[in-house]
Amino acid sequence: QKEVEQDPGPLSVPEGAIVSLNCTYSNSAFQYFMWYRQYSRKGPELLMYTYSSGNKEDGRFTAQVDKSSKYISLFIRDSQPSDSATYLCAMRGSDYKLSFGAGTTVTVRA
Amino acid sequence: DSGVTQTPKHLITATGQRVTLRCSPRSGDLSVYWYQQSLDQGLQFLIHYYNGEERAKGNILERFSAQQFPDLHSELNLSSLELGDSALYFCASSVVSGRRGETQYFGPGTRLLVL
């Protein structure tokens, strides 16, 4: 079993829809949770950063962390074609070693 | 643009050869991380350097090695290359900032193709 599980999709939604992405993990030591966006042939770009459990909102993006369930989510509201990318969840404990999910490929149809 | 630079962008070589990938971190960042991204394994942590010293190792093969120089740039050396080493190799640099902790910023990657 992988340390971080993420459904690779692909996920296709119409423009304006809410995109819902999630990851589960098994390592209780994880404290920091991130979402990265990766466009084709580019490096991952940090979108959201959350420490411990709770919600965090930044514009159209909302990240949720439920440490009791070992489950994290990312919601994208009012999705745009420019949101089409691969979204990777990442997490770490105190040792700075990031563990990534497999990434979910999202396509937003105009 | 993350501020992390990697060279070369593309590299095509043959099995058994040796290559060197280079990374320049963002100005002021002391930490450099190397990752390998392949279709079947996803993004895998290889190694972490902080201010010239190795801090952590992940799933890095013995044929691979890295170092960080006094000017903080880093090099990843891959030797005795195999077909399965074909992948995207990313470098990331990081800064520790208050309660947010450490944030990693990724470079554009080097695409390695071993024929």
Side-chain angles (χ1 to χ4, degrees):
Chain A
Q1 184 186 6
K2 291 184 178 180
E3 204 170 35
V4 181
E5 296 281 357
Q6 181 178 8
D7 186 342
L11 186 62
S12 180
V13 300
E15 185 175 357
I18 295 176
V19 176
S20 175
L21 305 166
N22 58 77
C23 291
T24 59
Y25 63 95
S26 57
N27 190 339
S28 300
F30 288 150
Q31 304 171 50
Y32 300 89
F33 304 90
M34 287 137 276
W35 286 94
Y36 283 83
R37 176 175 63 194
Q38 185 175 23
Y39 291 113
S40 181
R41 299 178 177 270
K42 301 287 187 183
E45 169 195 10
L46 182 65
L47 275 180
M48 299 289 284
Y49 187 111
T50 309
Y51 171 71
S52 197
S53 285
N55 294 355
K56 184 175 182 179
E57 190 172 317
D58 184 0
R60 297 185 295 112
F61 299 91
T62 299
Q64 292 182 348
V65 174
D66 182 347
K67 288 188 71 177
S68 63
S69 302
K70 297 189 177 67
Y71 185 90
I72 70 170
S73 302
L74 178 71
F75 299 96
I76 308 173
R77 291 183 300 281
D78 188 25
S79 57
Q80 306 295 311
S82 59
D83 294 325
S84 299
T86 296
Y87 291 81
L88 299 133
C89 63
M91 49 199 78
R92 66 172 180 87
S94 58
D95 61 358
Y96 298 142
K97 289 165 58 175
L98 280 180
S99 292
F100 282 86
T104 301
T105 300
V106 174
T107 300
V108 180
R109 308 185 306 272
Chain B
D1 185 357
S2 67
V4 179
T5 59
Q6 289 186 249
T7 56
K9 288 186 178 180
H10 303 277
L11 201 48
I12 301 175
T13 187
T15 54
Q17 295 298 304
R18 173 189 169 96
V19 297
T20 298
L21 313 183
R22 182 187 169 101
C23 168
S24 293
R26 299 184 326 151
S27 176
D29 287 358
L30 300 179
S31 273
V32 168
Y33 298 78
W34 285 98
Y35 293 87
Q36 179 192 58
Q37 187 175 39
S38 60
L39 282 175
D40 56 342
Q41 294 291 323
L43 200 56
Q44 299 280 318
F45 165 74
L46 294 178
I47 198 163
H48 169 211
Y49 276 84
Y50 177 83
N51 202 20
E53 292 187 4
E54 181 185 304
R55 280 293 179 91
K57 270 187 174 181
N59 301 320
I60 187 166
L61 300 171
E62 284 191 12
R63 300 182 285 109
F64 296 0
S65 65
Q67 53 183 329
Q68 186 179 27
F69 295 87
D71 67 351
L72 301 178
H73 92 271
S74 178
E75 293 181 356
L76 179 67
N77 300 294
L78 314 177
S79 61
S80 302
L81 285 168
E82 302 175 359
L83 295 177
D85 297 328
S86 297
L88 264 172
Y89 291 85
F90 288 106
C91 162
S93 74
S94 71
V95 60
V96 179
S97 175
R99 191 176 184 278
R100 180 167 181 158
E102 185 239 24
T103 302
Q104 293 186 27
Y105 295 89
F106 282 75
T110 293
R111 185 173 293 275
L112 174 66
L113 180 60
V114 182
L115 299 175

